[in-house]
Amino acid sequence: MNFSKAMLNNAFKLIIAALVAALALRSVSMRFFFDYSTGFYTDSGLTAWLSLLIPLTLVGAAALFCKTGLPSLGSYQLRRSPVLAVFAALSGGVLVVSALTMAKDYMLFLDSGFSQFDSVRQGFNHQLYMIASFLLGLVQLAVAGALLSGKDIFKKLSLLYMVAVVWGASNMVMVYVFYAKSSSVAENIFSMGGAAALLLSLLYLCRLLAGAEAQGAGLRLFLWGGVAAVLAIPYYGVDLIQRALGYVYAGEVPPQCQLSGLAMGVFVLAFLASVQKRGHEAGEPAGQHYKEQGE
């Protein structure tokens, strides 16, 4: 293993360590130091801040390793990967089901005026989110099929993954308008920061798959993908577990949106695992794999 690829592997290990720390600290914070009736922390937010600062510090260190491992970040070719295909299929299924559930709720809203979503009264973005969720779900399922067959669907449809960017932007707007209103700054960083990091990671994932400045896109994907992993996955994942245990609070993100955000966050993390394992074909020039396929 060359030095730059070893640095990339170390960066991914730090991201995993940061995620484990974030999940553990977020779980402790929300289970023992959060008052669900008032929405306030009972420890003045100490564990909430620790669940932010410690993981983000580790992600910052991972970014330094990524910069050292830059030579191993080149073009990325979609190849056969059954494990990554599973994560793509799961995220696709979650998005499609969530979109259909939201559509059913929206039809009920048009008939009765009642809805479980605060965003339903902001018509355009709610509709955009539903449509983008459905389309991204289909794209994720197509990506899963490509990962099983080994065919690179982005060779001819290089901008197909722009659907993910549209979904990420719509998700961030929804979170900003309706769900980033906690009395705790740390909680708002989890919600808004996680949504923003998820959007940026999907943007650079789109650029990477399209072969646009692949090395820079790969570096930024690791940075923002790491941030998304330690913010979005613990925020949505722990809240979903607490919801299942009967703990809910005012202003909480709806479960359909939580599941979608969690599914995409986990997919981004799984994609990072695939990238660090292969090292972007050991830093071959961007677009080279397309040339080789055409020969």
Side-chain angles (χ1 to χ4, degrees), residues 189-252:
I189 292 174
F190 262 115
S191 59
M192 195 60 210
L198 192 54
L199 167 60
L200 288 169
S201 62
L202 292 173
L203 171 63
Y204 290 113
L205 177 52
C206 176
R207 285 182 53 182
L208 183 62
L209 292 171
E213 298 181 3
Q215 195 171 65
L219 177 62
R220 289 167 179 79
L221 173 60
F222 258 86
L223 171 61
W224 292 112
V227 175
V230 302
L231 293 182
I233 293 177
Y235 177 64
Y236 294 127
V238 173
D239 278 17
L240 280 167
I241 293 173
Q242 292 298 99
R243 183 189 290 272
L245 295 174
Y247 296 96
V248 295
Y249 57 91
E252 188 174 10

Side-chain angles (χ1 to χ4, degrees), residues 110-154:
L110 294 177
D111 290 336
S112 66
F114 294 100
S115 173
Q116 62 176 301
F117 299 96
D118 295 336
S119 59
V120 75
R121 303 185 187 283
Q122 191 193 66
F124 174 75
N125 192 68
H126 186 81
Q127 295 166 21
L128 176 62
Y129 182 87
M130 285 191 299
I131 295 170
S133 294
F134 183 74
L135 293 178
L136 178 55
L138 295 181
V139 169
Q140 289 295 100
L141 293 174
V143 170
L147 288 165
L148 286 175
S149 66
K151 294 182 180 179
D152 190 349
I153 60 175
F154 295 99

Side-chain angles (χ1 to χ4, degrees), residues 259-273:
L259 282 167
S260 296
L262 176 62
M264 288 308 298
V266 171
F267 173 73
V268 168
L269 183 64
F271 195 92
L272 291 183

Side-chain angles (χ1 to χ4, degrees), residues 42 48 53 72 76 82 92 127 169 173 182 199 234 248 252 267 282:
T42 59
L53 297 177
S72 284
Y76 184 90
Q127 295 166 21
V173 171
S182 172
L199 167 60
V248 295
E252 188 174 10
F267 173 73

